[in-house]
Amino acid sequence: DVKVTQSSRYLVKRTGEKVFLECVQDMDHENMFWYRQDPGLGLRLIYFSYDVKMKEKGDIPEGYSVSREKKERFSLILESASTNQTSMYLCASSPVGEQFFGPGTRLTVL
Amino acid sequence: AQSVTQLDSQVPVFEEAPVELRCNYSSSVSVYLFWYVQYPNQGLQLLLKYLSGSTLVESINGFEAEFNKSQTSFHLRKPSVHISDTAEYFCAVSRGGTSYGKLTFGQGTILTVHP
């Protein structure tokens, strides 16, 4: 079975802190994605990566950055967390087509 | 660019009743279509997908969806729902060919099955 793991299920941070969300997949997939999920808005793509050190902006990249130093690991970075970044963050990996999701990290910024 | 519209944000039904969750998409190119399900406090799981071939696709737990190219729809149906089907359902579209597997999601439909 494909396994996508995320470093934390729940996270509480203060405004202005730097926040790292980690995602690891074990299926050697080329593509990895970070989404945020908010009620009534579905999933919105923040960034994706199609190879090591390669990344592209999604629909809502402002306030976020990413890092992919190894094929299996894709990190989402909030340089200076703000309250409007309180959300559920979902990581996914994909060969082509179907995406496999991690359990999500619910981030609260106070 | 692609977009996906799920026409109902919430669908309440009684157990053993039929249900249809509606999804329309817009795209100028060929697409792949997906339905994902999210149970409370979990990530998304693939329910079913259309890549090519038969336009009617089925899942292992009784759901089915039909790709209708002329109406640009991919509605999800189940003839008889169970309490355990209570979840949020997301329709998604991917551009065929080399698109790195990027998906565009709809806003989600919360299905609540009442006893």
Side-chain angles (χ1 to χ4, degrees):
Chain A
D1 276 356
V2 175
K3 197 166 179 67
V4 180
T5 57
Q6 295 184 230
S7 50
S8 306
R9 291 299 305 273
Y10 300 93
L11 209 53
V12 180
K13 295 291 182 181
R14 295 200 180 277
T15 303
E17 281 192 76
K18 191 168 186 175
V19 181
F20 293 87
L21 303 182
E22 304 283 336
C23 175
V24 178
Q25 52 101 356
D26 66 356
M27 282 301 292
D28 203 37
H29 288 161
E30 300 290 335
N31 309 308
M32 296 187 74
F33 307 82
W34 275 107
Y35 296 90
R36 64 176 283 174
Q37 181 182 9
D38 300 288
L41 297 178
L43 276 72
R44 293 179 290 167
L45 182 64
I46 304 172
Y47 268 97
F48 73 99
S49 168
Y50 52 92
D51 203 350
V52 175
K53 297 189 186 297
M54 306 302 287
K55 61 187 179 185
E56 282 200 21
K57 293 179 180 179
D59 301 316
I60 52 164
E62 297 78 18
Y64 303 94
S65 62
V66 290
S67 172
R68 192 165 180 203
E69 297 296 319
K70 294 184 177 181
K71 192 174 186 179
E72 68 270 18
R73 188 180 297 270
F74 190 36
S75 302
L76 180 69
I77 303 156
L78 287 67
E79 296 288 342
S80 178
S82 64
T83 56
N84 62 12
Q85 293 178 308
T86 291
S87 186
M88 170 71 88
Y89 290 88
L90 291 166
C91 174
S93 73
S94 170
V96 175
E98 177 183 350
Q99 291 188 11
F100 297 85
F101 284 83
T105 296
R106 187 167 295 281
L107 172 67
T108 302
V109 182
L110 301 175
Chain B
Q2 299 147 147
S3 67
V4 179
T5 302
Q6 292 182 240
L7 296 156
D8 306 291
S9 59
Q10 298 195 46
V11 174
V13 293
F14 286 111
E15 195 173 18
E16 298 183 5
V19 71
E20 178 180 78
L21 307 184
R22 296 179 293 168
C23 173
N24 287 97
Y25 69 93
S26 66
S27 176
S28 59
V29 298
S30 63
V31 295
Y32 301 147
L33 293 157
F34 305 84
W35 275 100
Y36 282 85
V37 59
Q38 185 179 35
Y39 299 104
N41 298 313
Q42 295 186 26
L44 274 69
Q45 303 171 34
L46 180 70
L47 191 59
L48 45 77
K49 60 185 176 185
Y50 169 78
L51 302 181
S52 64
S54 172
T55 57
L56 184 66
V57 290
E58 298 177 354
S59 72
I60 57 172
N61 57 354
F63 283 94
E64 64 178 31
E66 186 159 19
F67 169 53
N68 188 319
K69 189 174 182 180
S70 62
Q71 297 187 4
T72 61
S73 68
F74 191 55
H75 301 332
L76 182 70
R77 301 184 181 95
K78 190 171 185 180
S80 176
V81 294
H82 302 289
I83 298 286
S84 59
D85 293 323
T86 294
E88 188 162 17
Y89 293 79
F90 293 93
C91 182
V93 61
S94 170
R95 201 176 72 184
T98 55
S99 64
Y100 306 116
K102 281 178 62 179
L103 293 177
T104 300
F105 285 86
Q107 302 90 330
T109 298
I110 297 173
L111 173 65
T112 305
V113 182
H114 297 277

